[in-house]
Amino acid sequence: MKHLLIVYHSQSGTNARLAQAALRGALQEEGTETRLLRAVDADTSDLLWADGVLFGAAENFGYLAGGLTDFLARTFYPAQMQPRSWVYGTFIGTGNDGSGAVRQLQRIARGYPMREVAEPLVLRGPVIDTALARCEELGLTLAAGLAMGIF
Ligand SMILES: Cc1cc2nc3c(=O)[nH]c(=O)nc-3n(C[C@H](O)[C@H](O)[C@H](O)COP(=O)(O)O)c2cc1C
């Protein structure tokens, strides 16, 4: 059984709703077990449990939101000491940009190392049904790809 960790930070609820949608999608794949955690509640043991990670957060001040950056800062060195790597995807529920957050996450992820296996999903503005549907699809893509061993 493959393991997918969805780890997110959300200050006002946007990315929490997107994360729930991603979870709904991932749970459609029975060959992968999925764990959904707020970044503040997640630690290195969750990362080591996972084969793949789906990150979610806003962009704040042009950077990846601090709650998710904190998770990355706490897990980076412990993860690097492991002889392994991860696959990952990203959703950024954000105001009007998101490009800085994507760039920053891609740069950090390379160091773990993590390999990006889906186009980053940048969802700007209020959460609407199409945004939820796209997150659901992203969750299913990660979970199914892990289960089928195509990553
Ligand atoms: C302090 C602050 C800074 C922000 N900076 C950006 C930004 O640089 N780029 C952007 O696209 N949105 C920015 N936003 C908008 C947030 O990304 C947006 O409100 C998002 O939906 C928050 O998601 P969350 O509730 O899941 O944390 C900012 C919001 C706040 C409160």
Side-chain angles (χ1 to χ4, degrees):
M1 175 75 87
K2 291 297 177 82
H3 293 163
L4 173 64
L5 173 66
I6 303 175
V7 59
Y8 71 96
H9 172 76
S10 184
Q11 189 165 301
S12 64
T14 298
N15 286 278
R17 290 183 64 196
L18 297 173
Q20 289 291 340
L23 176 66
R24 278 197 299 280
L27 291 178
Q28 290 170 35
E29 173 54 65
E30 293 181 353
T32 293
E33 187 182 338
T34 301
R35 185 180 285 182
L36 173 74
L37 285 173
R38 296 187 309 159
V40 69
D41 297 325
D43 59 25
T44 303
S45 65
D46 300 301
L47 188 58
L48 297 182
W49 169 85
D51 301 291
V53 185
L54 182 51
F55 294 108
E59 178 176 271
N60 284 345
F61 303 126
Y63 292 94
L64 186 65
L68 189 56
T69 308
D70 169 70
F71 168 77
L72 296 164
R74 284 186 285 111
T75 59
F76 189 73
Y77 280 145
Q80 277 197 322
M81 293 169 72
Q82 303 293 322
R84 52 173 296 186
S85 62
W86 293 261
V87 297
Y88 81 100
T90 308
F91 61 87
I92 302 291
T94 197
N96 56 9
D97 188 357
S99 59
V102 168
R103 223 174 15 253
Q104 192 184 9
L105 185 52
Q106 286 174 331
R107 185 161 180 260
I108 295 167
R110 275 196 295 275
Y112 271 77
M114 293 187 183
R115 183 165 54 87
E116 193 167 42
V117 292
E119 193 69 24
L121 196 51
V122 178
L123 301 158
R124 301 183 181 96
V127 176
I128 53 174
D129 286 351
T130 49
L132 294 170
R134 291 179 72 193
C135 263
E136 197 169 319
E137 191 184 351
L138 181 60
L140 175 57
T141 299
L142 268 281
L146 285 169
M148 291 188 278
I150 59 172
F151 295 141

Coordinates of all heavy atoms in Angstrom, one line a residue, residues 10-49:
S10 N -3.5 27.0 6.2 CA -4.5 27.9 5.8 C -4.9 28.8 6.9 O -5.2 28.4 8.0 CB -5.8 27.0 5.4 OG -6.8 27.9 4.9
Q11 N -4.8 30.1 6.6 CA -5.1 31.1 7.6 C -6.6 31.4 7.7 O -7.1 31.6 8.8 CB -4.3 32.4 7.3 CG -4.3 33.4 8.4 CD -3.3 34.5 8.2 OE1 -2.1 34.2 8.1 NE2 -3.7 35.7 8.0
S12 N -7.2 31.6 6.6 CA -8.6 32.0 6.6 C -9.6 30.9 6.0 O -10.8 31.2 5.9 CB -8.8 33.3 5.9 OG -8.5 33.1 4.5
G13 N -9.0 29.8 5.7 CA -9.9 28.7 5.3 C -9.8 28.3 3.8 O -10.3 27.2 3.4
T14 N -9.2 29.1 3.0 CA -9.2 28.8 1.5 C -8.5 27.5 1.3 O -9.1 26.6 0.6 CB -8.4 30.0 0.8 OG1 -9.1 31.2 1.0 CG2 -8.3 29.7 -0.7
N15 N -7.3 27.4 1.7 CA -6.5 26.2 1.4 C -7.0 25.0 2.2 O -6.8 23.8 1.8 CB -5.0 26.4 1.6 CG -4.5 27.3 0.4 OD1 -4.2 26.8 -0.6 ND2 -4.5 28.6 0.6
A16 N -7.7 25.2 3.3 CA -8.3 24.1 4.1 C -9.4 23.5 3.2 O -9.5 22.2 3.1 CB -8.9 24.6 5.4
R17 N -10.2 24.3 2.5 CA -11.2 23.8 1.7 C -10.7 23.0 0.5 O -11.1 22.0 0.1 CB -12.2 24.9 1.2 CG -13.0 25.4 2.3 CD -14.0 26.5 1.8 NE -14.9 25.9 0.8 CZ -15.6 26.7 0.0 NH1 -15.5 28.0 -0.1 NH2 -16.5 26.1 -0.8
L18 N -9.6 23.6 -0.1 CA -9.0 22.9 -1.2 C -8.3 21.6 -0.8 O -8.4 20.6 -1.5 CB -7.9 23.9 -1.8 CG -8.4 25.2 -2.4 CD1 -7.3 26.1 -2.8 CD2 -9.4 24.9 -3.6
A19 N -7.8 21.6 0.4 CA -7.2 20.3 0.9 C -8.2 19.3 1.1 O -8.0 18.1 0.8 CB -6.4 20.6 2.2
Q20 N -9.4 19.6 1.6 CA -10.5 18.7 1.8 C -10.9 18.1 0.4 O -11.2 16.9 0.3 CB -11.7 19.3 2.5 CG -11.4 19.6 4.0 CD -11.4 18.4 4.8 OE1 -11.8 17.3 4.4 NE2 -10.8 18.5 6.0
A21 N -10.9 19.0 -0.6 CA -11.3 18.5 -1.9 C -10.2 17.5 -2.5 O -10.5 16.5 -3.0 CB -11.4 19.7 -2.9
A22 N -9.0 17.9 -2.2 CA -7.9 17.0 -2.6 C -8.0 15.6 -1.9 O -7.8 14.6 -2.5 CB -6.5 17.6 -2.4
L23 N -8.4 15.7 -0.7 CA -8.5 14.4 0.1 C -9.7 13.6 -0.6 O -9.5 12.4 -0.7 CB -8.9 14.7 1.5 CG -9.2 13.5 2.4 CD1 -7.9 12.6 2.6 CD2 -9.7 13.9 3.8
R24 N -10.8 14.2 -0.9 CA -11.9 13.5 -1.5 C -11.4 12.8 -2.8 O -11.8 11.6 -3.0 CB -13.0 14.5 -1.9 CG -13.9 14.8 -0.7 CD -15.2 15.4 -1.3 NE -15.1 16.7 -2.0 CZ -14.9 17.9 -1.5 NH1 -14.9 18.0 -0.2 NH2 -14.8 18.9 -2.2
G25 N -10.6 13.5 -3.6 CA -10.1 12.8 -4.8 C -9.2 11.7 -4.5 O -9.3 10.6 -5.0
A26 N -8.3 11.9 -3.5 CA -7.3 10.8 -3.2 C -8.0 9.6 -2.6 O -7.6 8.5 -2.9 CB -6.3 11.4 -2.2
L27 N -9.1 9.8 -1.9 CA -9.7 8.6 -1.3 C -10.5 7.8 -2.3 O -10.9 6.7 -2.0 CB -10.7 9.1 -0.2 CG -10.1 9.7 1.0 CD1 -11.2 10.2 2.0 CD2 -9.2 8.7 1.7
Q28 N -10.6 8.3 -3.5 CA -11.2 7.5 -4.6 C -10.3 6.4 -5.0 O -10.7 5.4 -5.7 CB -11.6 8.4 -5.8 CG -12.7 9.3 -5.5 CD -12.9 10.3 -6.7 OE1 -12.7 10.0 -7.8 NE2 -13.2 11.5 -6.3
E29 N -9.0 6.5 -4.7 CA -8.0 5.5 -5.1 C -7.8 4.6 -3.9 O -7.2 5.0 -2.9 CB -6.7 6.1 -5.5 CG -5.6 5.2 -5.7 CD -5.9 4.0 -6.7 OE1 -6.1 4.3 -7.9 OE2 -5.9 2.9 -6.3
E30 N -8.2 3.3 -4.0 CA -8.1 2.4 -2.8 C -6.7 1.8 -2.6 O -6.4 1.3 -1.6 CB -9.1 1.3 -3.0 CG -10.6 1.8 -2.9 CD -11.6 0.7 -3.0 OE1 -11.2 -0.4 -3.3 OE2 -12.8 1.0 -2.8
G31 N -5.9 2.0 -3.6 CA -4.5 1.4 -3.6 C -3.6 2.3 -2.8 O -2.4 1.9 -2.7
T32 N -4.0 3.5 -2.4 CA -3.2 4.4 -1.7 C -3.9 4.8 -0.4 O -5.0 5.2 -0.4 CB -2.8 5.7 -2.6 OG1 -2.0 5.3 -3.6 CG2 -2.1 6.7 -1.8
E33 N -3.1 4.8 0.7 CA -3.6 5.4 1.9 C -3.2 6.9 2.0 O -2.1 7.2 1.8 CB -3.0 4.6 3.1 CG -3.7 5.0 4.5 CD -3.0 4.2 5.6 OE1 -2.4 3.1 5.4 OE2 -3.1 4.7 6.7
T34 N -4.2 7.7 2.4 CA -4.0 9.1 2.4 C -4.1 9.7 3.8 O -5.1 9.4 4.5 CB -4.9 9.9 1.4 OG1 -4.7 9.3 0.1 CG2 -4.6 11.4 1.4
R35 N -3.2 10.6 4.1 CA -3.3 11.2 5.4 C -3.3 12.7 5.2 O -2.5 13.3 4.4 CB -2.0 10.9 6.2 CG -1.9 11.4 7.6 CD -0.6 10.9 8.2 NE -0.5 9.5 8.6 CZ 0.6 8.9 9.2 NH1 1.6 9.7 9.5 NH2 0.6 7.7 9.5
L36 N -4.3 13.4 5.8 CA -4.4 14.9 5.6 C -4.1 15.5 6.9 O -4.6 15.2 8.0 CB -5.9 15.2 5.3 CG -6.3 16.7 5.3 CD1 -5.7 17.4 4.0 CD2 -7.8 16.9 5.3
L37 N -3.1 16.4 6.9 CA -2.7 17.1 8.1 C -2.4 18.6 7.9 O -1.9 19.0 6.8 CB -1.3 16.5 8.6 CG -1.4 15.1 9.3 CD1 0.0 14.6 9.5 CD2 -2.2 15.2 10.6
R38 N -2.8 19.4 8.9 CA -2.3 20.8 8.8 C -0.8 20.8 9.0 O -0.3 20.0 9.8 CB -3.0 21.6 10.0 CG -4.5 21.7 9.9 CD -5.0 22.6 11.0 NE -4.5 22.3 12.3 CZ -4.4 23.1 13.3 NH1 -4.9 24.3 13.2 NH2 -4.0 22.7 14.5
A39 N -0.1 21.7 8.4 CA 1.3 21.8 8.5 C 1.8 21.9 9.9 O 2.8 21.2 10.3 CB 1.9 22.9 7.6
V40 N 1.1 22.6 10.7 CA 1.5 22.8 12.1 C 1.4 21.5 12.9 O 2.2 21.3 13.9 CB 0.7 23.9 12.8 CG1 -0.8 23.5 13.0 CG2 1.3 24.4 14.1
D41 N 0.6 20.6 12.5 CA 0.4 19.3 13.1 C 1.3 18.2 12.6 O 1.3 17.0 13.1 CB -1.0 18.8 13.1 CG -1.9 19.8 13.8 OD1 -1.5 20.4 14.8 OD2 -3.1 20.0 13.3
A42 N 2.0 18.5 11.5 CA 2.8 17.4 10.8 C 4.3 17.5 11.1 O 4.8 18.6 11.4 CB 2.6 17.6 9.3
D43 N 4.9 16.4 11.1 CA 6.4 16.4 11.4 C 7.1 15.4 10.5 O 6.5 14.8 9.6 CB 6.6 16.2 12.9 CG 6.1 14.9 13.4 OD1 5.9 13.9 12.6 OD2 5.8 14.8 14.6
T44 N 8.4 15.2 10.9 CA 9.2 14.3 10.0 C 8.7 12.9 9.9 O 8.8 12.3 8.9 CB 10.6 14.3 10.6 OG1 11.1 15.6 10.7 CG2 11.6 13.5 9.7
S45 N 8.0 12.4 11.0 CA 7.5 11.0 11.0 C 6.4 10.9 9.9 O 6.3 9.9 9.2 CB 7.0 10.6 12.3 OG 5.9 11.4 12.7
D46 N 5.6 12.0 9.7 CA 4.6 11.9 8.7 C 5.2 11.9 7.3 O 4.8 11.2 6.4 CB 3.7 13.1 8.8 CG 3.0 13.2 10.2 OD1 2.3 12.2 10.5 OD2 3.2 14.1 10.9
L47 N 6.3 12.7 7.2 CA 7.0 12.7 5.9 C 7.6 11.4 5.6 O 7.6 10.9 4.4 CB 8.0 13.8 5.9 CG 8.7 14.1 4.6 CD1 7.7 14.5 3.5 CD2 9.7 15.2 4.8
L48 N 8.2 10.7 6.6 CA 8.9 9.5 6.4 C 7.9 8.4 6.1 O 8.2 7.4 5.4 CB 9.8 9.1 7.6 CG 10.9 10.1 7.8 CD1 11.8 9.6 9.0 CD2 11.8 10.2 6.6
W49 N 6.7 8.5 6.6 CA 5.6 7.6 6.3 C 5.2 7.6 4.9 O 4.8 6.6 4.3 CB 4.4 7.9 7.2 CG 3.1 7.2 6.9 CD1 2.7 6.0 7.4 CD2 2.0 7.7 6.1 NE1 1.4 5.7 6.9 CE2 1.0 6.8 6.1 CE3 1.8 8.9 5.4 CZ2 -0.2 6.9 5.4 CZ3 0.6 9.1 4.7 CH2 -0.4 8.1 4.8

